Amino acid sequence: MLNRKFIPLTITCCLFFLLFGIGSVQFEGFGSTQVFFNLFSDNAFLIIAAVGMTFVILSGGIDLSVGAVIALTGVVCSVLISRYQLHPLIVFPIVLIGGTIFGAIMGAIIHYYKMQPFIVTLAGMFFARGLASVISEESIPIEHEFYNQVSAFGFEVLGGAWIGSSTIICLVVLVIAIITAHYTRFGGRVYAIGGDANSAALMGIPLAQTTIRIYAISAFLASLAGIVYSFYTFSGYSLAAVGVELDAIAAVVIGGTLLTGGYGYMFGTLMGVLIMGVVQTYISFDGTLSSWWTKIVIGLLLFCFIALQQLLIKTTPR
Amino acid sequence: MSQVVLQLQNIHKKFPGVHALKGVNFTLRAGEIHALLGENGAGKSTLIKVMTGVYQRDDGDILLNNQAIFPNNTGDAQALGISTVYQEVNLLPNLTVAQNIYLGREPRRFGLINWTKVNQDAAQLLKGYDLDIDVTQPLSSYSIAVQQLIAIARGVDMSAKVLILDEPTASLDADEVQTLFRIMRDLKARGIGIVFVTHFLDQVYAVTDRITILRSAQLVGEFETATLSRAELIGHMLGKELAALGEHKPQAHATSGDALLSVQAISRQATLSPTDIAVSKGEVVGLAGLLGSGRTELCRLIFGVDKKHSGNVTFHGQPVNFSSPRDAIIAGMGLCPEDRKHDGILGQLSIRENIILARQVKQGWWKFISRKEQEEIANNFVKELSVATSDIEKPIEQLSGGNQQKVILARWLAANPSLLILDEPTRGIDIGAHAEIIRLIRKLCDQGLALIVASSELEELVAFSNKVVVLRDRQKVTELTGDEINPQRIMQAIAAH
Ligand SMILES: Nc1ncnc2c1ncn2[C@@H]1O[C@H](COP(=O)(O)OP(=O)(O)OP(=O)(O)O)[C@@H](O)[C@H]1O
Ligand SMILES: [Mg+2]
């Protein structure tokens, strides 16, 4: 019998292939490897951010600062590269470290002051977004040879599909995240805290260290997502990526992770993003539908998944 | 005399409004089993939490092998070789059994967790406790007793110098207790010091070498088990003589014989085979059986927590079909569940709110019980069940385990049910309060309350049952009445093949 805990993930996977199948039947050129891989390259930054969000949600928390951190990263990158003429390879470590510290501070506040993650990361969101606007309200273009090289980098795979640098980065992140979540002691602690933080502490789990690391990872990945985002836009803008944290949360939930923490899979989050991507692709192939339909479909999907999770919780035999 | 491993000197701990430990000393030697005894709320669990860094002491010293230690949390204590099984089962329902046992110390290969080994080792470890279960299933799919054994297995497996067990036997049956004792003696032989908290005096005499007694946050003294008589022990614990406890084995009283509940062939796939049970007004029906025999499952089915797959239930002469506990409560039933931590207490709510909850549900939320009446009810039960608390507005989670249990019992008594189902009602309750509760239950039965009591304590069943239903392997095997109700007969029925 199919294990109950895999039901949401299985449904997500089936749904993805169903949507992809419908699109392929209906539109010429939909069912190609190129369209498939474009789902990755178009959504690479979202996948990266959602992976970070998965750790946070698995631990029973939430991180609302993700979108703002993406924007701040973009702004800082563009300022340092375009105004101060620093090489991107020097700038990236700076923003990644900065982002990580930012997340660690939020994690520390959440743990030591026993504050709601919702409030702390909401404050973090305003702070990061505000800081980005203070640095520059205008969009700052990034002009650097390295950026051209990055966007040109890639290789061809079977079916003639092109795999670019963002796709490669997001796949590497995903693989490392899956291993971290399911094959390291840290991963076990994340699930433990999400299950029952009190019991976890009484079992000897270091709560402070784990909480700080979780938010640091999320902010690190948000910064990385910000870098990848700048590969698309070749610019940094303080109002970029508004609401990306909500897309990430939606992807995590559609991927079968329980919002209350403790249950879920990293792989599900990828499927969550891909479903959102496939809906978008379908709508753009159709051409007659407004792109806002994506949001409506995703809203419906989210609702169905939360209802399904409730149902599974209620009917779980004890 | 063997060497001292752990020494606590002049420990003080204050909570807002409660001075929970007043200058307590405690000495644990290597290779001894040391009982820590005292009434509900005496400060046993608090002392343990201070030892292991869950609470920070306000004053005093903790010495481990003569070195002062300052653990900040359980993790620190574990790193120092002190392993603890706390009073409530503190495991994670979302993780598998194996993950729970090895959490934080999973065997690794090339830096990554070796899940095959985790599962194999966990299964192997549990075999030592005669527990042959699928360790890859989530913990939540097992009963509270199995969970308690798993928590013990984890604690024992981690113990390096000191093992602390806070009421580990509260929901275990006789065989499991023996298994635990065997393992404790093994550890003792290996030089590990064991702290053992319990309210079962038989167990104290069966396995411990020394006894430390606390009363009202203070140390009464340390004694050699072999030279302390039972009467003296109880005297030290309660601060009064045993005689004050009254009749020890009361006789069951006669019942009117009017049928109240009749259950025919109730069953649920994979949890209970068709079972009959009948209860008359004023009658106490005991449910006996080993862990997993179907006791808890039967209680849950009758009360409508789980949906029955077949069977008829007649209550007050009417056929009923409860689809939720709420229906059952309104019809006049109560169920005091086995797992107080997850199914019982609402930790953040006050004692008063916890007590009036079931009565409020029964009346319907629109008929609000006035504040004054609530306070009256709560104060009444707090007095009657001698709940040790300064004030009924305290959050229930700040009470000691035994006192929480009393509050849950009060909740159901306050709802004035005509049938009350009690699943391990005296779990973690001290002997003084135990006698009080038995007396109270008998009084209520004289007034017409009927009870179904599931218990692994045979003495308790014998003390007040008019009838004992014995379950084995998820089905009813026999029903004992009258003179047949004695511990030997029940044991035979439980064990027979
Ligand atoms: N977190 C807390 N906040 C406030 N008071 C507390 C807290 N924990 C315990 N207490 C109080 O400290 C006293 C001692 O409680 P403790 O849990 O140590 O008792 P115990 O001896 O373990 O009793 P039991 O046999 O019922 O488990 C009680 O009066 C209890 O209400
Ligand atoms: Mg206690």
Side-chain angles (χ1 to χ4, degrees), chain B residues 44-45 87 166-167 400-402:
Chain B
K44 305 178 296 291
S45 300
Q87 185 168 5
D166 194 351
E167 294 193 34
S400 78

Side-chain angles (χ1 to χ4, degrees), chain A residues 3 5 179 182-185 188-189 191-196 198-205 261-263 317-318, chain B residues 54 74-75 78 86 90-96 100 103-106 108 111-113 115 140-141 154 300 341 343:
Chain A
N3 197 327
K5 59 184 185 180
I179 293 173
H182 305 304
Y183 290 94
T184 65
R185 289 185 183 171
R189 289 175 187 161
Y191 280 86
I193 293 181
D196 181 345
N198 243 329
S199 294
L202 290 182
M203 287 173 83
I205 295 300
Y263 296 89
R318 312 181 8 124
Chain B
V54 178
T74 311
Q78 282 170 0
Y86 294 97
N90 280 294
L91 294 178
L92 299 157
N94 59 324
L95 302 186
T96 67
N100 268 291
L103 184 69
R105 55 195 190 102
E106 295 91 344
R108 290 181 289 193
L112 298 181
I113 295 175
W115 286 116
S140 56
S141 50
R154 173 182 163 91
R300 291 170 61 93
K341 185 178 168 200
D343 304 338

Side-chain angles (χ1 to χ4, degrees), chain A residues 127-202:
Chain A
F127 177 82
R129 192 68 78 181
L131 188 60
S133 310
V134 168
I135 295 173
S136 166
E137 284 186 37
E138 310 283 296
S139 167
I140 308 168
I142 301 176
E143 275 152 31
H144 197 284
E145 187 46 33
F146 181 78
Y147 264 70
N148 299 331
Q149 285 166 1
V150 166
S151 69
F153 181 79
F155 53 86
E156 210 167 294
V157 286
L158 71 163
W162 178 254
I163 294 193
S165 37
S166 348
T167 309
I168 296 169
I169 295 175
C170 93
L171 288 178
V172 169
V173 165
L174 189 73
V175 169
I176 294 176
I178 289 177
I179 293 173
T180 307
H182 305 304
Y183 290 94
T184 65
R185 289 185 183 171
F186 171 75
R189 289 175 187 161
V190 173
Y191 280 86
I193 293 181
D196 181 345
N198 243 329
S199 294
L202 290 182

